[in-house]
Amino acid sequence: MALSRKSWNYIIIGASVFMIAVLSFINDKTASVPADAVALFDSQMPLKQLHLDDIWLSQQDGQWQCHQQVLNCQQWAQSWQNISVSPLKTEPEHSLAKQTLTIAINHVHTAQQWRYFPNEGLLQSSNQNWYQVPPSLRADLQPILAVPSQSK
């Protein structure tokens, strides 16, 4: 038995309402920062310099300077400056895709070596403590890089 045009319209409307409800639920769960998240940097200990593998950003005279390939320097700097993390009690499952993160903080003389797992939003401190970045804050932690031109 074939469905009438009216029946198909009801099915399409029902599926659309269901999809909107699912997407709204996902947005509500990922757009907010968890209650246990704390700022990694604050006004007492602000970020001064950051190296993500070979890409860097540095604050000089109140202005952020970045590696020449970084296209979104100010946005990238703001994202790291305002990052919040949730401490984890146990070591999480993580992928092999990691980046070396070197952080320099004002008023601290030695830089800290961290590991960053961008796919999962995980940070591992130099003391082997684990932290998770909320999903809503992860997207801007990676710089947008200019593709170098290749001349022949």
Side-chain angles (χ1 to χ4, degrees), residues 6-28:
K6 187 176 182 179
S7 297
W8 275 114
N9 286 344
Y10 286 131
I11 290 171
I12 291 170
I13 291 170
S16 299
V17 168
F18 176 75
M19 184 57 92
I20 290 170
V22 167
L23 292 175
S24 296
F25 176 76
I26 290 171
N27 184 52
D28 289 344

Side-chain angles (χ1 to χ4, degrees), residues 133-146:
V133 180
S136 60
L137 302 178
R138 292 179 195 167
D140 295 332
L141 295 180
Q142 290 294 327
I144 297 173
L145 301 177

Side-chain angles (χ1 to χ4, degrees), residues 89-105:
K89 293 181 176 34
T90 59
E91 181 175 336
E93 297 272 331
H94 54 84
S95 67
L96 297 176
K98 69 177 182 216
Q99 295 177 300
T100 302
L101 180 67
T102 306
I103 300 170
I105 301 170

Side-chain angles (χ1 to χ4, degrees), residues 1 4 10 13 17 25 28 35-36 41 51 70 92 105 109 127 131 139 141 148:
M1 179 174 149
S4 68
Y10 286 131
I13 291 170
V17 168
F25 176 76
D28 289 344
D36 66 340
F41 308 108
H51 286 257
V70 176
I105 301 170
H109 298 292
N127 295 338
Y131 302 91
L141 295 180

Side-chain angles (χ1 to χ4, degrees), residues 69-133:
Q69 283 185 297
V70 176
L71 298 176
N72 63 335
C73 184
Q74 299 306 314
Q75 180 184 7
W76 187 44
Q78 284 296 98
S79 296
W80 276 103
Q81 212 174 4
N82 298 323
I83 188 173
S84 293
V85 294
S86 298
L88 300 176
K89 293 181 176 34
T90 59
E91 181 175 336
E93 297 272 331
H94 54 84
S95 67
L96 297 176
K98 69 177 182 216
Q99 295 177 300
T100 302
L101 180 67
T102 306
I103 300 170
I105 301 170
N106 264 354
H107 314 299
V108 176
H109 298 292
T110 58
Q112 300 176 16
Q113 285 282 135
W114 290 51
R115 293 191 318 167
Y116 177 49
F117 298 86
N119 295 338
E120 297 85 2
L122 296 171
L123 287 168
Q124 184 183 24
S125 71
S126 54
N127 295 338
Q128 308 306 314
N129 295 322
W130 286 92
Y131 302 91
Q132 183 153 33
V133 180

Side-chain angles (χ1 to χ4, degrees), residues 24-88:
S24 296
F25 176 76
I26 290 171
N27 184 52
D28 289 344
K29 293 298 179 189
T30 59
S32 61
V33 176
D36 66 340
V38 294
L40 193 58
F41 308 108
D42 61 14
S43 60
Q44 303 296 319
M45 304 288 268
L47 176 65
K48 182 170 92 175
Q49 191 173 33
L50 180 135
H51 286 257
L52 189 60
D53 289 335
D54 295 330
I55 306 297
W56 56 268
L57 66 88
S58 178
Q59 189 173 39
Q60 298 170 352
D61 301 325
Q63 292 290 326
W64 287 102
Q65 306 292 320
C66 292
H67 187 275
Q68 63 190 12
Q69 283 185 297
V70 176
L71 298 176
N72 63 335
C73 184
Q74 299 306 314
Q75 180 184 7
W76 187 44
Q78 284 296 98
S79 296
W80 276 103
Q81 212 174 4
N82 298 323
I83 188 173
S84 293
V85 294
S86 298
L88 300 176

